[in-house]
Amino acid sequence: MIRLDHLTLARGAQVLLDDVSLMIHDRHKVGIIGANGCGKSSLFALLRGVLSPEHGDVFLPKQAVIAHVAQETPNVSASALDYVLDGDRELREVEAAIKSLTERLHDISHDNHDDGHALAEWHHRLEAIDGYRTRARAAELLAGLGFTPAQHHHPVNTFSGGWRMRLNLAQALMCRSDILLLDEPTNHLDLDAVLWLEDWLRRYPGTLLLITHDRDFLDSIVDTIVHFDQRALKTYSGNYAQFEQERAAALANQQASFEKQQRTIAHLQSFIDRFRAKATKAKQAQSRLRQLERMTRISAAHVDSPFSFSFPASDSRARQLLRLENANLGYRADAPVLPGVECGILSETRLGLLGPNGAGKSTLIKSMTGVLPLLRGTRHTARDLRIGYFAQHQLDTLDPNASALLHLQRLDPDAREQALRDFLGGFAFHGEQATQAITSFSGGERARLALALIVYARPQLLILDEPTNHLDIDMREALTEALQAYNGALIVVAHDRHLLSATVDEFWLVHQNRIVPFDGDLDDYRRFVLDHLRQTDEETAALAEPLPSADRKTQKRLAAEARQRRAPLVKRQNDIEKMLETLTAERAALELWLASPDAYRDDAKARLATALARQRDIQKQQDALETEWLTLIDALSRDDLSPEAP
């Protein structure tokens, strides 16, 4: 178990935890909650040994393997698959030992009798840790987190920041850990990946400590809540919904006790004030005064959200706000992401977009807003339509040298400063924070400011693409309540199911180059996402069951035969991976040159034609090799687990 004993933890001069004791039992799944900056991430750093307590002790299980998600990704050229495999440290240790001993056995000048015995032991250990299936396991993790088969072989340093965080998450999940620490794991995920991760964590066999502001994610996974509350930790049994109910009851009791005590205090003080000067009542007055001084004061219950805002009423008189007719959406005319789109947005539309990563949800949104020009077709909008569009990239368009107040003044130069300050106060920008440059703002504070600017513009159509990233539970709840009261048209893409289910009336599914109505709720969509992954897992699990009648000698013989059958497949798999790495590097160099002005000079026409032809040839080779690699992965996982396979 994990145990904190009278522990005090500080960051600089700020005390985060003061004389705290806590016990977390093995295999419990614990949600760590509390306001931003209260010390949740510092608690993880403490458990990892990065921070030390000011006072008290931390007790962890002996030899426990602790996995966590790295916040930085090394700039390496290793493939995504190999990077994820690095998360299984024991596997890498076994592989290194086998490689070293194999090389020594090939050295004819070396007496290798003992090495042969040691090599057999290492192979036995590889089998014991299910090492022959680790590549398939890593591929499953990558697929669940939204990586296409082709991306499995892309170098790590070619991925963007959000995708690198997914790689770090996959690497942490790859580790066969006893304790798993996850700090906001859903921030860089879409809904499909969140649903997959939720399913994976529910089956995780170790002790899980989870920091997240996604209440539905917590509700589905955890059995315990640890709440940071005024430099203390309070433990609640159950999930987040049960925590809310229990805490609400406790706060109600606290408020009732506070009010009762205030009545007692008022009564005592009244007696003291009336009779302190009278000789006959002086002793009684002094007694009541001492009673007041000894009284342990109960504080008033206070859980008000720091956020208070609403969307102004929509003033649109048009029934249809936007329509796309016979539209091809995407980035290349010869390969549209969504061809032949016919859709309309009415003034009463409240729509949630569903679909796997890369299916085209953001493409559809950008085309609706006009950010992305149509490849073909027509975009109609109502006259003077105001669209409020929130996307993560917009946080980067904020002026880091301007204050929150100045951002608003640029939108409305004639507005009174106090009115703008009052408006910003609803988003918890008070006093000096409203006038300081936002360069020091956190991701959550920038997201709040971006939302504030959208709200202030009084949109008639509101389009939100993952608006809850970096927002804490209080702000998410405030946004949800504001959207419920908003009377304009609404389109939302979000991995926060609480926000989706509370604010939209219908869903569209963007899938396989099509947009279709989704006839169901989010529970139906969860089943839709997980069905094909579960089917694969169930087939693998069934094949993994041992033969009931086989004795140990037979099992060893069958395993040896299986390894012999595997050898040429493994060799071909490794050869393909090397060829893919070479082709990927060559293609990257080609595309770098094709993107340069030098490629389109008159004297480079012959080289340009050769480069374009080679680019097409590389693509064909990569497609063929990736198809063969996937076939090998499937064959290897089946053959390894079923020695009787032909």
Side-chain angles (χ1 to χ4, degrees):
M1 67 179 64
I2 300 170
R3 184 160 62 90
L4 308 183
D5 190 13
H6 295 286
L7 182 135
T8 297
L9 179 66
R11 278 275 196 182
Q14 182 185 8
V15 176
L16 303 172
L17 295 172
D18 187 13
D19 195 28
V20 164
S21 294
L22 174 71
M23 186 176 295
I24 296 173
H25 295 280
D26 290 347
R27 304 196 177 199
H28 277 212
K29 292 181 168 64
V30 182
I32 310 294
I33 64 171
N36 285 341
C38 67
K40 300 186 296 292
S41 297
S42 296
L43 174 63
F44 277 16
L46 174 76
L47 296 176
R48 291 170 45 219
V50 176
L51 285 181
S52 299
E54 302 294 308
H55 303 287
D57 297 296
V58 182
F59 298 96
L60 295 168
K62 290 184 178 179
Q63 299 179 332
V65 176
I66 300 177
H68 74 285
V69 180
Q71 295 303 304
E72 300 291 335
T73 311
N75 187 29
V76 295
S77 59
S79 70
L81 189 70
D82 278 328
Y83 182 76
V84 173
L85 284 167
D86 288 342
D88 192 334
R89 296 188 287 272
E90 187 176 5
L91 169 73
R92 289 311 200 194
E93 176 190 349
V94 172
E95 287 180 335
I98 289 174
K99 180 181 179 182
S100 174
L101 287 167
T102 302
E103 290 173 352
R104 289 172 64 178
L105 284 168
H106 288 157
D107 183 358
I108 59 174
S109 65
H110 181 70
D111 180 5
N112 53 29
H113 175 74
D114 291 339
D115 287 344
H117 179 73
L119 183 61
E121 290 294 324
W122 281 108
H123 274 289
H124 178 72
R125 184 172 171 188
L126 182 66
E127 196 168 344
I129 65 172
D130 198 20
Y132 294 115
R133 196 184 166 275
T134 49
R135 298 189 80 81
R137 188 158 64 92
E140 289 169 8
L141 291 174
L142 286 169
L145 291 172
F147 291 85
T148 64
Q151 289 176 310
H152 294 190
H153 302 286
H154 289 181
V156 170
N157 54 18
T158 63
F159 288 98
S160 64
W163 285 98
R164 290 190 186 191
M165 290 308 296
R166 292 192 189 208
L167 285 175
N168 288 347
L169 175 57
Q171 190 181 76
L173 301 183
M174 189 69 191
C175 176
R176 285 174 290 108
S177 57
D178 304 298
I179 299 170
L180 178 58
L181 309 177
L182 293 182
D183 190 347
E184 294 291 358
T186 65
N187 266 0
H188 298 281
L189 303 183
D190 60 359
L191 180 56
D192 286 40
V194 168
L195 292 170
W196 173 86
L197 178 61
E198 178 183 288
D199 188 64
W200 193 97
L201 291 175
R202 289 171 70 177
R203 292 180 282 113
Y204 173 66
T207 303
L208 172 67
L209 274 65
L210 173 65
I211 298 172
T212 180
H213 294 300
D214 187 330
R215 56 195 297 160
D216 279 30
F217 194 65
L218 281 170
D219 278 345
S220 181
I221 296 167
V222 306
D223 52 41
T224 306
I225 293 290
V226 171
H227 181 219
F228 274 73
D229 186 15
Q230 298 179 350
R231 299 190 298 182
L233 296 177
K234 296 183 179 179
T235 303
Y236 298 80
S237 296
N239 60 17
Y240 185 80
Q242 292 166 311
F243 154 76
E244 277 197 320
Q245 293 172 1
E246 189 175 340
R247 186 166 183 244
L251 287 170
N253 289 335
Q254 179 182 338
Q255 185 65 21
S257 298
F258 168 76
E259 291 171 358
K260 181 180 179 181
Q261 187 183 66
Q262 290 301 304
R263 289 193 296 271
T264 300
I265 291 172
H267 176 74
L268 292 173
Q269 190 64 53
S270 174
F271 185 92
I272 294 167
D273 293 341
R274 287 171 58 198
F275 299 114
R276 177 184 289 174
K278 290 190 175 182
T280 57
K281 298 285 188 179
K283 282 189 177 181
Q284 295 178 40
Q286 287 297 319
S287 174
R288 284 164 173 72
L289 183 60
R290 288 193 293 272
Q291 186 179 345
L292 270 182
E293 291 171 347
R294 290 194 300 267
M295 187 178 292
T296 301
R297 299 301 173 99
I298 300 171
S299 60
H302 182 75
V303 290
D304 291 344
S305 170
F307 311 107
S308 175
F309 68 93
S310 61
F311 289 90
S314 172
D315 57 2
S316 175
R317 297 180 181 179
R319 184 167 186 274
Q320 187 168 65
L321 301 182
L322 185 147
R323 180 163 185 80
L324 300 181
E325 288 185 353
N326 194 26
N328 282 2
L329 316 182
Y331 304 87
R332 289 172 47 195
D334 61 334
V337 176
L338 296 170
V341 172
E342 295 276 350
C343 67
I345 303 300
L346 305 179
S347 59
E348 65 269 21
T349 295
R350 301 185 72 84
L351 173 66
L353 296 182
L354 306 175
N357 184 72
K361 300 186 297 295
S362 293
T363 300
L364 174 60
I365 282 175
K366 290 176 183 177
S367 301
M368 285 181 168
T369 60
V371 171
L372 181 65
L374 304 184
L375 299 173
R376 189 191 73 185
T378 310
R379 174 178 175 267
H380 301 283
T381 62
R383 185 176 180 181
D384 299 325
L385 176 65
R386 294 190 302 276
I387 298 177
Y389 175 40
F390 178 93
Q392 290 302 306
H393 67 81
Q394 287 182 292
L395 305 190
D396 298 327
T397 67
L398 297 172
D399 182 354
N401 298 314
S403 65
L405 180 62
L406 182 54
H407 276 89
L408 268 187
Q409 288 172 328
R410 289 172 178 172
L411 283 182
D412 190 357
D414 298 327
R416 292 185 303 108
E417 180 177 322
Q418 189 56 50
L420 297 181
R421 282 181 173 273
D422 292 343
F423 177 80
L424 287 171
F427 292 84
F429 295 115
H430 301 286
E432 293 182 0
Q433 194 178 25
T435 55
Q436 70 184 50
I438 70 166
T439 184
S440 60
F441 276 20
S442 66
E445 289 167 333
R446 290 178 184 238
R448 279 195 272 125
L449 176 57
L451 282 169
L453 298 176
I454 290 170
V455 172
Y456 193 83
R458 303 173 64 89
Q460 299 148 334
L461 169 59
L462 190 59
I463 300 179
L464 305 177
D465 191 354
E466 294 293 357
T468 60
N469 282 355
H470 308 296
L471 299 184
D472 64 18
I473 289 180
D474 283 342
M475 182 59 189
R476 290 184 185 208
E477 193 60 35
L479 176 60
T480 300
E481 291 176 5
L483 290 176
Q484 286 173 330
Y486 174 60
N487 72 335
L490 175 66
I491 302 174
V492 183
V493 175
H495 65 255
D496 188 316
R497 282 160 289 169
H498 176 69
L499 177 79
L500 277 174
S501 60
T503 59
V504 306
D505 300 327
E506 61 176 319
F507 294 105
W508 288 357
L509 176 62
V510 184
H511 186 54
Q512 296 180 341
N513 305 111
R514 298 175 59 215
I515 304 170
V516 295
F518 184 77
D519 186 18
D521 58 17
L522 291 176
D523 287 333
D524 296 314
Y525 184 66
R526 182 177 184 275
R527 287 188 286 271
F528 171 82
V529 169
L530 296 178
D531 270 352
H532 70 283
L533 291 171
R534 280 185 171 164
Q535 183 179 354
T536 302
D537 290 344
E538 286 167 7
E539 290 172 356
T540 302
L543 289 169
E545 293 179 3
L547 299 174
S549 61
D551 60 22
R552 296 184 62 156
K553 288 184 178 179
T554 304
Q555 288 281 21
K556 287 183 179 179
R557 177 179 60 79
L558 292 174
E561 291 172 358
R563 286 194 293 273
Q564 287 180 340
R565 286 194 302 274
R566 293 175 52 82
L569 300 181
V570 171
K571 183 178 184 305
R572 178 58 182 164
Q573 179 191 5
N574 292 334
D575 290 343
I576 288 175
E577 290 172 358
K578 290 176 183 177
M579 286 188 283
L580 282 169
E581 287 182 10
T582 302
L583 288 170
T584 299
E586 183 182 354
R587 183 175 178 179
L590 267 178
E591 291 176 347
L592 184 64
W593 184 76
L594 287 170
S596 70
D598 292 344
Y600 303 96
R601 292 168 47 186
D602 290 341
D603 59 353
K605 288 182 178 179
R607 184 182 174 190
L608 177 62
T610 302
L612 291 171
R614 179 57 182 159
Q615 185 186 38
R616 290 192 294 272
D617 183 47
I618 289 174
Q619 180 65 60
K620 289 179 182 178
Q621 290 184 58
Q622 285 181 317
D623 290 343
L625 287 170
E626 286 164 359
T627 300
E628 185 181 355
W629 184 87
L630 286 172
T631 303
L632 284 170
I633 282 288
D634 184 57
L636 281 167
S637 62
R638 288 200 309 269
D639 188 64
D640 177 45
L641 297 170
S642 180
E644 292 181 346

